[in-house]
Amino acid sequence: MRLLAIFLACLGLAVPAAHLLAAGNGSARVQVVDERGLPIRDAVVEITPAGGARSPSGFPWRAAMAQKNLQFTPGTLIVAKGSTVAFPNLDRVRHSIYSFSKIARFEIDLYGRDQTRAQRFDVAGSAALGCNIHDNMRGYVRVVDTPYAAKTNGNGIANISAVPGGSATVTIWHPRLRAPGNEVRYTVSLDGGLSRKYKVKLR
């Protein structure tokens, strides 16, 4: 397939990136860009096989969102459904945490430096976080029920490995995405892997 791609490139013919992956690769490379073609950072890409996905037991990163320099860090955190998220305060000032989101309505009272509070997330979806003391602080917890999920990097790319073949749904979520629930969905075939660019509209 690689030789075919090189041959077609020499003829000046384009080959869709999705077809450049070796059969059985099992990897997905998704790029998310805005209407101008600029990469979107921290968009959440989720892949759910048509037959359903096994329940995720967790991800390589820690289920924690710190408060540091008057910001939630990371600004967007992906966790598996049923996870308990830790909220360590690394600032010298006190913080509170609240969410009025549909999947998780809660309020954590003020607590100080080097203290930690936690909250369990049992419903898939997204939760927007705020601080009652610092109005500019915004954070997001994206709760997923598939083990195949990742955030896009500075180039708008999310890489997801060990994805099973067959039909699947790709869900893209971002807090500023102009769509119901701030998410869009696409049906794809993962036979031989997936490499695709999606253009979305932001608010």
Side-chain angles (χ1 to χ4, degrees), residues 65-75 88-96 111 113 129-131 133-139:
M65 179 177 284
Q67 295 149 310
K68 185 177 182 180
N69 298 325
L70 302 184
Q71 294 180 350
F72 285 106
T73 304
N89 183 355
L90 305 182
D91 278 332
R92 293 185 177 182
V93 299
R94 295 196 298 169
H95 288 296
S96 68
Y111 61 104
R113 180 181 176 87
L129 309 177
C131 173
I133 305 301
H134 307 97
D135 292 336
N136 292 330
M137 290 181 62
R138 292 287 183 273

Side-chain angles (χ1 to χ4, degrees), residues 77-175:
L77 175 69
I78 303 173
V79 300
K81 185 171 69 173
S83 296
T84 297
V85 175
F87 295 100
N89 183 355
L90 305 182
D91 278 332
R92 293 185 177 182
V93 299
R94 295 196 298 169
H95 288 296
S96 68
I97 304 174
Y98 69 86
S99 175
F100 299 128
S101 303
K102 184 177 180 180
I103 71 161
R105 297 176 182 270
F106 65 92
E107 186 167 1
I108 298 174
D109 292 334
L110 286 168
Y111 61 104
R113 180 181 176 87
D114 295 331
Q115 293 183 317
T116 299
R117 299 292 185 267
Q119 175 67 33
R120 183 179 171 92
F121 293 86
D122 288 318
V123 180
S126 55
L129 309 177
C131 173
N132 280 319
I133 305 301
H134 307 97
D135 292 336
N136 292 330
M137 290 181 62
R138 292 287 183 273
Y140 302 92
V141 176
R142 180 67 177 179
V143 186
V144 302
D145 53 8
T146 174
Y148 313 112
K151 281 194 307 184
T152 56
N153 59 21
N155 294 317
I157 296 172
N159 291 296
I160 304 173
S161 60
V163 182
S167 297
T169 298
V170 173
T171 302
I172 298 173
W173 175 90
H174 188 275

